[in-house]
Amino acid sequence: MRIDGCSALVTGAASGLGLATATALHAAGAAVVLLDLPGAPGAAIVAALGERTRFVAGDVTSAGDVHSAVEAAVSMAPLRIVVTCAGIAPAERTVGRDGPLPLDEFERVLRVNLTGTFNVIRLAAAAMLAAEPIDALGIGLGSSSGSGAGGGGTAERGVIVTTASVAAFDGQVGQAAYAASKGGVAAMTLPLAREFARSLIRVVSIAPGVFDTAMLQGMPAAVRESLAAQVPHPARLGDPSEFAALVRHIVENPMLNGETIRLDGGIRMPPR
C-alpha cells in the first residue's frame, strides 16, 4: 500500500522503535499521530518532524485516550496505518526471594502489552473500515470491498503492524509475564488478519530481538556487549531504524499478512 497521503497512528512513539517508525512513515509522506504517555517529549518530536505530525498524550489501555488519537489521525487524512509499539518489559521471577510474584504485577504486563494492543486495534480498525479502499497507487476505488476490488486483489484499506518479541518463543527466566503478553500478540495476528481480510485490512506482527532502545541503554556496558555477542549475524544490537524499515516494507508489500516476522539476526535466547 502506498504510504504517501495516508495517516498513521503509532503508539509508544516518543522513543525507541515507535519513534523510529513514526519518523520513517513521516519521511515516506504519511501524516503521523504519535501516542505516548503524558510527560513524553511529544512536543519536541513534533517540532523536529514538522508538518503532518501531532502528539496525543495518553495510555493505550484507555479507550478514551486511544479514541482521541484515532480521531486526530482521521482528521489529518484517511487512517490506513497503525503500528503498536507501546509496551513494558519488567523481569521478575514467578517465585522470588520475597515469595510469589504479586498477581497484579503479572496482570499489569498483560494489560499494557496485550490488552493495550488489542484496544488500539479494535478502535483503529473501526476507523479504517470507514475509509474507501485504494489501489496500489493510492487511487480511491469507492466503497467496494472484497479481495477482487480494484482488479487482481490490489485494493487495500489499511495495514496494522503489532510488536511481539522473540520472548514470545524464547522466553527467559524472569520473563513469564512478558513472554505471555507477547505470545498473545503473536497468537492473535492470524485470527485478526482472517477477520479483516474481507475488509481489505492486513495484520502483521514483528518479533524483535535485542534492539538498542532505552530499555537496553540503561544496562551496564558489559551486559549490552554480552547481548550483542549472542546475535549470530550481524553480531550487534539491532537499530530501531531497522525495525522501522521492516514496518515500511510490510505496509508497501501487499502479500505480507497474518504472519509474525522475527527480526533478530538469528538469535535464539538462552534460558538466562
Side-chain angles (χ1 to χ4, degrees), residues 123-222:
L123 296 173
M128 283 183 175
L129 289 171
E132 67 171 316
I134 56 175
D135 68 8
L137 298 178
I139 299 172
L141 297 169
S143 59
S144 59
S145 63
S147 61
T154 60
E156 294 199 83
R157 274 196 173 87
V159 183
I160 298 169
V161 182
T162 63
T163 304
S165 168
V166 295
F169 314 103
D170 313 332
Q172 296 183 295
V173 171
Q175 286 189 324
Y178 183 68
S181 69
K182 293 301 187 176
V185 171
M188 68 181 178
T189 304
L190 181 58
L192 287 170
R194 287 171 164 171
E195 176 181 349
F196 293 137
R198 288 185 60 83
S199 301
L200 310 178
I201 297 172
R202 293 185 286 118
V203 184
V204 178
S205 183
I206 300 174
V210 285
F211 271 69
D212 193 11
T213 62
M215 182 176 66
L216 290 184
Q217 289 167 3
M219 294 181 176

Side-chain angles (χ1 to χ4, degrees), residues 93-132:
R93 290 176 179 262
T94 304
V95 180
R97 294 177 180 176
D98 297 326
L101 178 71
L103 190 58
D104 60 351
E105 294 186 24
F106 182 90
E107 292 174 337
R108 182 176 70 94
V109 179
L110 264 65
R111 179 162 179 77
V112 174
N113 293 355
L114 181 55
T115 304
T117 295
F118 183 78
N119 188 38
V120 174
I121 291 172
R122 71 186 185 95
L123 296 173
M128 283 183 175
L129 289 171
E132 67 171 316

Side-chain angles (χ1 to χ4, degrees), residues 248-263:
R248 177 168 180 174
H249 181 74
I250 290 169
V251 173
E252 294 179 329
N253 188 331
M255 282 301 289
L256 285 172
N257 193 20
E259 186 57 271
T260 298
I261 303 170
R262 291 185 67 130
L263 185 65

